[in-house]
Every structure is written in C-alpha cells, then in structure tokens.
Amino acid sequence: MTLKVPDNQTIVIFGATGDLTGRKLLPALYNLFVQSLLPQDFAVVGYSRTEMSTDEFREHQAANVAKYSRTGLDPEAWERFAAHLDYMAGGFEPEAAMHPLAQHLEEVDAAIRGGGRRMFYCAVPPSLFPKIATRLGEEGLNLGGRIVMEKPFGFDLASARELNRQLHEVFDENQIYRIDHYLGKETVQNILVLRFANGMFEPIWNRRYVKQVQIDVAEELGIEGRGKFYEEAGAMRDIVQNHVMQLLAFVTMEPPARFDAESIRDEKVKLLRSVPPVRRRERDLVRGQYVAGVVRGVLVPGYREEIDVDPESITETFVAIRLRVENWRWAGVPIVVRTGKRLARSATQITISFAAAPHLLFEESGLDLPGPNNLCIRVQPNEGISLSFDAKEPGPEMRIGQVQMDFEYEKSFMTKPAEAYERLLHDVMVEDHTLFMRADEIERAWEIVEPVLERLPPDPYFAGSWGPERAKELVSPYQWHLR
Ligand code: BG6
C-alpha cells in the first residue's frame, strides 16, 4: 500500500523538549520527511515551558534525531527538514495561557498554502490532557483541530470515563486520536492480514480447532528510571489494560464489515464486551515482582531497590492471567496472557495452539509426540510468523520431531518494519482513525481489568527468570511457548 501525502498542515507538539518528543516524535517526523510522506507545506511548532530559541530547539532535536532515528541523520535532509521547525516557550496555566500560541499559529498558518489544518500532540503527562483541551477550547483551537495523546488513559474505569467526558466537552470523538503504540507496529497490523486475507486460517480459527491462545509481552528491561510512574501503574495498567487488550482484540475479533476505522473499532469493542472481567482466583491470576537476579550475565537489582520505589512496594512487575472470550467462536478456549519486566528475554508474541489429530495413531505405537501444532506470530523482535508441525525424523526408526515453517519480515520483504510512530503520525495527518482507540474501547478494557487493579502482595521471582513458578500452571496442559 502506498501511503498518501497528507494535506498541508501545522503540527503542534506540547512537551516539545521532553523524552517522547526527542526519542520518538521528531525521529519519526524526520523519517516521514525523508520518505516524502509529510505534507508539501507544513510547520512543526514545539511548545514547552523551557525557554529556548528556535535555533536552540533545532540543534537539540538534531542531536535526538541523530541518536534515535532508524535511518540516522543526513545533514542535507536535516537542513531542509529543520527549516520547518519552530519553537515557542509557554505553559498551560492560568486561563488564556495559550493565547500567545493561538496568535503565533495564525502567523504560522498564514505562511502555509491552504493553512489552518492543525494537529496538537500532547507529549506531556496524562494529568495535563484535560487542561490542554480546555485551553485549546478557550482559544477556539479545537475547531477543526485534532488532538493526539498517548496512554495511560485514566487510572481506572472511573477516571477514564471522566477523562473522556472532559475531552468531549471540547472535542468531538472524531477529533481525538488516542495512541497505543502497539497498533503502529507492522506485525500487529499484519494479524488482520493473516486472518482476513488468507482463506486457509479462517475455517480453523475457532474453538473447534484452537485449544489455547497465548499472548506474551516479555521484557528484559526493568523500569528504566521510571520508578515513580511504575509504582502507580504496575504491569496491569502499564501493559495489560492497553497493549495486551489490543493484541487480544486483533487475534480474536470477528471479520469487520469493511476495512475502515469504524467497522474495525466496532468489532474490537464487540469482542472486548465478550471478555468477562478477570477473576481474582488463584488459578486465573498470578502476580509477581522481581528480586535481584542475573539478566544476560549481568546482576541487576530487585524492583524494591530501584530508584523512586517504595522498599516495601507490592506493585506487580509481572502478571499472568487466564482470560475467556465468551462468544460462539471462542467459548471454552483459554486465552492466557503474560507480561513482565526483567524476564529472561524480550519478546512479544502470540501463539495459537491447535487441537491434536483426532486419532493418535503414533501414540499407540509408544511414540512420543512433541506437542501441539503452534502458529506463532512474532510481534517483536525477529518479526514474522512461524508454524510448527510434526515430521518424521530421518532414519530407519520411526521418530517424530517438531519442525518450523518460518516467515521473516526482513528476509521476505528485504526491509525492516518502520517505526510505529511514523505510521501513527502519518495516520493522524490523513485523519485515519483505524489504529487509534475509541472512548468505548478504552472504557471496556478498564472494565475487564478493574477487579484485579487492587494491589495484593505479589510472588517474588528472580530477575532473568520467566516469572513466578505458579505461572506455569496457568497454561497447563501446555507450556509457555516462549521459554
Ligand atoms: C510502554 C510501557 O507502553 O511500552 C513500557 O509503558 C514498555 O513500560 C513499552 O516498556 C514497551 O514497548 P515496546 O514497543 O518496546 O514493546
């Protein structure tokens, strides 16, 4: 699919000197520019409290792009791109604090052919989202503007509802773009293609043939200096409520009526409504917290020893949950999800385990079968899909081994998947909501995790392991595919 060149517009970034802007947004915009996927005429206006000149802002971002852009920085391309960058210092308080910005935007837009289309990207802590919306509304900048923000959307169901209510006071739902960066990943989008462009999977994508679905979001990394944030969030809020629910929806939803944003989002919400809230029973839920251990040969501290973490914290850094999807397609199929920090390896993957052959001819002759047929979708790293099945090992004796058919993005398409933010920023520019979350979707995802948000003492696990031992019981009679 060739991506469309967006109409001319102005991109305003709130929190322009922050981490998200430097690591992700500017490198993504620069790479879109290099691929000629930014509008012909555009401006990027950075807005933040820090006093700095436009030249200083450009210099600061050049260093970020050089460091974080997937294609590096080409000085000539950077010069051309940087000419579109602009900076203004300012805050969000008190009332009318954004008046100077509104005036400035009039000037900026006047210099853009057909100017006046605007995107406002809130690269700021979520507590500021409502305030920014209010300030934009005061200046009339909500009219025709788009507002973009990133999870977490609320802290629980009640606060998510309140946030949606506040945003809807100023913006219509179709002006709001809520980012879950997992949806920008090529491999996540490919789940839809795998399922709905190939005739061979649909007939077996159901309770008759699928015996278990595993969704694994494992990270080697710890909390990377984000102790304050993580103490409040924990794995349930940081990963399960959003990234995991999105993966779950893509893998199990019904085919949409059409390939457009509303049809897809309708199906996702319908699916999430079929997922009952997580039960607090031991056999459905394991929470863990890492203690010091060895990750890839390096001794790392335990969670409670991390900076800004309470030495008696009971925040979970690991969860494994057994979920159900109560509908005609999936009734009775366990959907097990697992996510954790400081696990043995970083990998996000979805594994569909299929039913055994109806009559086990070989078992009768005393042969061990290696396990179920698994379709494994590797979201990252080593993006691709593999299918494992049993084959006869060469030799005079009848022995059975498991083999893999493997598709790798990089080998098949001779390219590395683009950064999620490139795709997502581009989609906001062309006003495509497909990969963004709707208010009802977010609220339903909170309803599912709500019963287990309350903290309870977690099981300890060693950094560098696969989490508490008990997590193994959740996938029984299978094993975790990622191990
Ligand atoms: C973020 C979480 O949303 O996703 C982080 O806040 C996590 O804790 C990150 O590390 C994982 O994203 P990715 O793209 O590296 O899998």
Side-chain angles (χ1 to χ4, degrees):
M1 189 171 73
T2 41
L3 290 179
K4 200 162 119 184
V5 175
D7 291 335
N8 293 347
Q9 56 192 288
T10 301
I11 299 162
V12 181
I13 302 179
F14 298 122
T17 52
D19 213 43
L20 177 62
T21 306
R23 277 173 188 262
K24 300 287 183 186
L25 305 184
L26 257 293
L29 287 169
Y30 167 75
N31 280 314
L32 285 170
F33 178 78
V34 172
Q35 298 163 83
S36 304
L37 287 173
L38 285 189
Q40 281 200 325
D41 221 356
F42 70 95
V44 177
V45 180
Y47 186 87
S48 232
R49 274 177 214 287
T50 320
E51 289 290 343
M52 67 166 76
S53 67
T54 290
D55 279 344
E56 285 166 333
F57 180 64
R58 289 177 182 169
E59 237 169 75
H60 175 65
Q61 296 304 350
N64 282 326
V65 171
K67 190 161 169 201
Y68 298 114
S69 143
R70 70 185 167 91
T71 62
L73 178 145
D74 168 51
E76 186 273 328
W78 172 259
E79 277 306 302
R80 285 188 289 120
F81 173 73
H84 298 263
L85 297 186
D86 186 21
Y87 183 78
M88 181 171 197
F92 309 116
E93 293 271 31
E95 219 175 288
M98 274 197 204
H99 193 59
L101 175 67
Q103 285 177 322
H104 182 61
L105 287 181
E106 277 184 26
E107 285 166 34
V108 171
D109 286 353
I112 292 181
R113 263 169 292 143
R117 306 165 66 80
R118 292 171 185 148
M119 173 208 299
F120 298 98
Y121 199 115
C122 304
V124 295
S127 55
L128 291 172
F129 297 164
K131 199 162 288 163
I132 291 180
T134 309
R135 293 287 103 89
L136 289 170
E138 276 166 12
E139 302 301 330
L141 292 170
N142 54 334
L143 304 173
R146 280 151 288 149
I147 186 162
V148 190
M149 62 202 83
E150 197 154 334
K151 68 133 199 133
F153 306 106
F155 185 71
D156 53 16
L157 178 61
S159 54
R161 281 196 179 134
E162 176 59 12
L163 173 62
N164 282 333
R165 190 193 62 72
Q166 289 168 322
L167 291 172
H168 288 152
E169 274 182 4
V170 187
F171 289 95
D172 289 337
E173 180 62 27
N174 67 9
Q175 294 175 282
I176 305 173
Y177 293 77
R178 298 180 192 81
I179 289 192
D180 177 319
H181 78 279
Y182 261 57
L183 294 187
K185 293 182 192 276
E186 286 280 353
T187 33
V188 174
Q189 296 161 47
N190 193 42
I191 298 172
L192 295 186
V193 178
L194 173 81
R195 292 192 50 202
F196 303 131
N198 296 298
M200 65 190 262
F201 295 117
E202 174 54 26
I204 54 170
W205 210 261
N206 56 49
R207 62 190 301 276
R208 234 182 119 193
Y209 297 100
V210 174
K211 292 299 152 198
Q212 190 178 75
V213 178
Q214 293 183 13
I215 301 178
D216 231 323
V217 181
E219 294 183 279
E220 268 171 39
L221 290 178
I223 51 166
E224 301 294 288
R226 295 192 304 158
K228 244 197 196 126
F229 159 79
Y230 204 84
E231 272 288 88
E232 290 198 356
M236 207 74 81
R237 291 183 170 89
D238 189 35
I239 304 277
V240 179
Q241 188 271 345
N242 33 76
H243 304 328
V244 166
M245 290 297 153
Q246 292 300 319
L247 295 174
L248 169 69
F250 269 35
V251 172
T252 54
M253 71 187 220
E254 292 301 310
R258 282 191 306 275
F259 196 70
D260 63 31
E262 288 328 305
S263 307
I264 292 176
R265 300 198 299 178
D266 285 347
E267 287 306 334
K268 283 164 67 189
V269 178
K270 191 171 115 199
L271 184 279
L272 293 177
R273 287 202 188 112
S274 316
V275 179
V278 184
R279 290 178 290 195
R280 297 172 58 155
R281 320 188 296 191
E282 274 207 355
R283 62 187 167 100
D284 285 334
L285 172 69
V286 177
R287 308 180 211 228
Q289 188 187 68
Y290 62 86
V291 296
V294 178
V295 180
R296 287 198 187 254
V298 178
L299 180 67
V300 298
Y303 177 70
R304 292 180 179 182
E305 287 120 50
E306 303 268 13
I307 297 162
D308 290 332
V309 169
D310 177 353
E312 287 175 20
S313 169
I314 53 167
T315 300
E316 79 285 351
T317 59
F318 173 99
V319 281
I321 309 176
R322 213 170 149 103
L323 290 170
R324 289 161 299 147
V325 178
E326 291 186 341
N327 63 15
W328 280 52
R329 188 187 284 269
W330 296 111
V333 181
I335 316 274
V336 277
V337 308
R338 174 175 74 169
T339 183
K341 299 277 187 199
R342 288 285 189 226
L343 296 184
R345 186 146 67 86
S346 285
T348 298
Q349 64 179 45
I350 298 161
T351 308
I352 320 278
S353 299
F354 292 95
H359 171 57
L360 292 178
L361 200 59
F362 302 104
E363 211 177 44
E364 281 168 12
S365 40
L367 279 176
D368 279 341
L369 290 185
N373 300 133
N374 289 317
L375 181 76
C376 178
I377 303 170
R378 295 187 305 270
V379 173
Q380 63 189 21
N382 193 14
E383 289 82 352
I385 296 173
S386 65
L387 180 64
S388 63
F389 56 93
D390 296 349
K392 181 187 170 305
E393 287 180 5
E397 277 176 47
M398 180 54 122
R399 277 216 198 113
I400 299 180
Q402 200 161 57
V403 292
Q404 309 270 343
M405 273 199 307
D406 201 31
F407 148 65
E408 273 182 50
Y409 258 89
E410 234 180 298
K411 276 197 196 146
S412 298
F413 294 115
M414 312 288 272
T415 175
K416 264 193 179 299
E419 261 279 316
Y421 282 88
E422 290 174 35
R423 177 62 195 263
L424 295 172
L425 281 164
H426 181 269
D427 283 0
V428 181
M429 284 190 268
V430 297
E431 300 181 24
D432 181 346
H433 275 93
T434 310
L435 301 177
F436 299 87
M437 288 175 299
R438 216 165 57 185
D440 51 355
E441 208 176 324
I442 305 245
E443 291 178 14
R444 179 61 204 165
W446 277 116
E447 273 167 8
I448 295 171
V449 298
E450 187 91 342
V452 289
L453 288 179
E454 188 198 323
R455 298 269 154 81
L456 290 172
D459 295 359
Y461 65 95
F462 288 112
S465 71
W466 282 112
E469 274 298 300
R470 227 159 45 75
K472 288 187 183 154
E473 291 160 26
L474 257 64
V475 282
S476 164
Y478 299 120
Q479 291 186 312
W480 287 101
H481 194 65
L482 188 62
R483 58 179 188 271

